[in-house]
Amino acid sequence: VMVAVSRMNRCRHCTAIHTAWASLAGLSDEELARMEGMDPESFDRRDWLAMKYARCLVAGADTSEVEVELRQHYTDGEIARIAAVARGIDVANRTGNTWDSFEGRLLGRGGGAGSSLGDELAILALLAPAGGPFLLVSKAVRVLRGEPTDLG
């Protein structure tokens, strides 16, 4: 669910971290690659429903149809946990993407599509107490992915 939502939101930080965690949890490179295409036939039905529900939920789409089948495979408590994880990851993704926009603006590349300086400054204010660790994680993700680290 974390990888599916992060990929949908195109959050490079969260996708890298959650993909690494999924790999450590035992998902194969093949299973992770199938998530890129999100073909329902490539997944166990139970797993597919959890991912589809999570993606619909964070996209603001109607979940009523998927919930009918989801209830055949998951308890109400499990569905609530899927929703909580999906919403939490969505907030983290949006925060990471807004941070990227702010960083791009600082480095002269401009803000990201759909981002405003006001949003970026609000996220920066929220992250200020954790700014150092966040910058270190951001840089570590880039190093792990073989990307340039513009901030030194």
Side-chain angles (χ1 to χ4, degrees):
V1 168
M2 290 185 276
V3 175
V5 170
S6 294
R7 285 189 176 178
M8 181 186 82
N9 285 334
R10 294 186 176 112
C11 180
R12 65 189 179 96
H13 302 288
C14 296
T15 297
I17 289 168
H18 299 310
T19 298
W21 288 348
S23 182
L24 289 172
L27 266 71
S28 69
D29 289 341
E30 180 184 321
E31 290 170 306
L32 290 167
R34 287 192 308 228
M35 292 181 104
E36 193 67 37
M38 291 303 293
D39 176 16
E41 300 302 317
S42 298
F43 297 95
D44 169 81
R45 189 67 184 163
R46 188 173 194 269
D47 293 342
W48 169 253
L49 288 167
M51 289 184 289
K52 182 177 180 179
Y53 174 69
R55 289 168 57 110
C56 286
L57 192 66
V58 301
D62 180 20
T63 60
S64 57
E65 283 186 35
V66 71
E67 282 184 54
V68 171
E69 190 174 354
L70 194 68
R71 291 187 187 289
Q72 296 172 16
H73 298 274
Y74 291 95
T75 66
D76 288 344
E78 290 170 323
I79 293 169
R81 284 190 292 280
I82 292 167
V85 167
R87 288 185 178 116
I89 294 305
D90 188 43
V91 169
N93 294 165
R94 292 175 190 280
T95 302
N97 289 341
T98 302
W99 172 261
D100 275 351
S101 293
F102 182 70
E103 182 183 59
R105 197 178 300 276
L106 287 176
L107 297 171
R109 296 189 306 252
S115 184
S116 71
L117 183 57
D119 292 341
E120 295 159 18
L121 291 174
I123 291 297
L124 183 62
L126 290 171
L127 293 177
F134 189 78
L135 285 172
L136 289 174
V137 169
S138 177
K139 188 169 183 173
V141 167
R142 287 189 179 153
V143 169
L144 289 171
R145 296 186 75 192
E147 296 175 1
T149 55
D150 301 327
L151 295 178

